[in-house]
Amino acid sequence: MASGFGYTGGRSRCFTYWQEFSKCYSQADAPSQCRAQVDDYLECLHHTKEIERAKTVRAEFIRQAEHQVKEGRKVADLLADGVIVSVGLIQQDRGKEQ
């Protein structure tokens, strides 16, 4: 990673974060001062926070879908709306003509 070359020969996607960490680490008195840079670099490499957020959104979608099925809505209608609409991030107008 520290070479700066990615799989295709160009810059790797996380090289900028590595440079920020290296700069901080070389100027810091204690390694703990660079915790934010380390966290950014590791998130870029492994996407742990992004994956956790996706799991949370999916779990909420499933919870809301189960609740709506209990109210009588069909599962096919839920899946047709899509995940983002069903989570409530985008409100869909039903019955309105534009």
Side-chain angles (χ1 to χ4, degrees):
M1 176 59 228
S3 68
F5 293 103
Y7 182 71
T8 58
R11 282 187 140 188
S12 64
R13 69 173 191 264
C14 300
F15 184 66
T16 307
Y17 295 108
W18 173 256
Q19 284 180 321
E20 289 176 15
F21 167 68
S22 295
K23 181 181 176 183
C24 176
Y25 192 74
S26 66
Q27 297 173 352
D29 295 331
S32 61
Q33 293 175 337
C34 300
R35 193 69 217 164
Q37 288 83 358
V38 170
D39 289 343
D40 289 344
Y41 177 62
L42 291 177
E43 175 61 25
C44 181
L45 286 177
H46 304 292
H47 304 289
T48 52
K49 293 177 186 174
E50 179 183 356
I51 291 169
E52 186 61 35
R53 184 176 185 281
K55 286 179 182 179
T56 303
V57 168
R58 184 171 187 265
E60 179 64 19
F61 170 71
I62 290 170
R63 187 188 68 76
Q64 288 185 3
E66 289 172 349
H67 178 69
Q68 290 179 1
V69 167
K70 288 178 184 177
E71 292 178 351
R73 193 162 176 214
K74 294 180 181 177
V75 175
D77 290 338
L78 295 172
L79 296 175
D81 286 344
V83 175
I84 294 176
V85 173
S86 296
V87 173
L89 299 177
I90 300 174
Q91 299 299 325
Q92 184 177 14
D93 294 330
R94 294 198 177 266
K96 282 189 174 180
E97 302 228 1
Q98 296 191 18

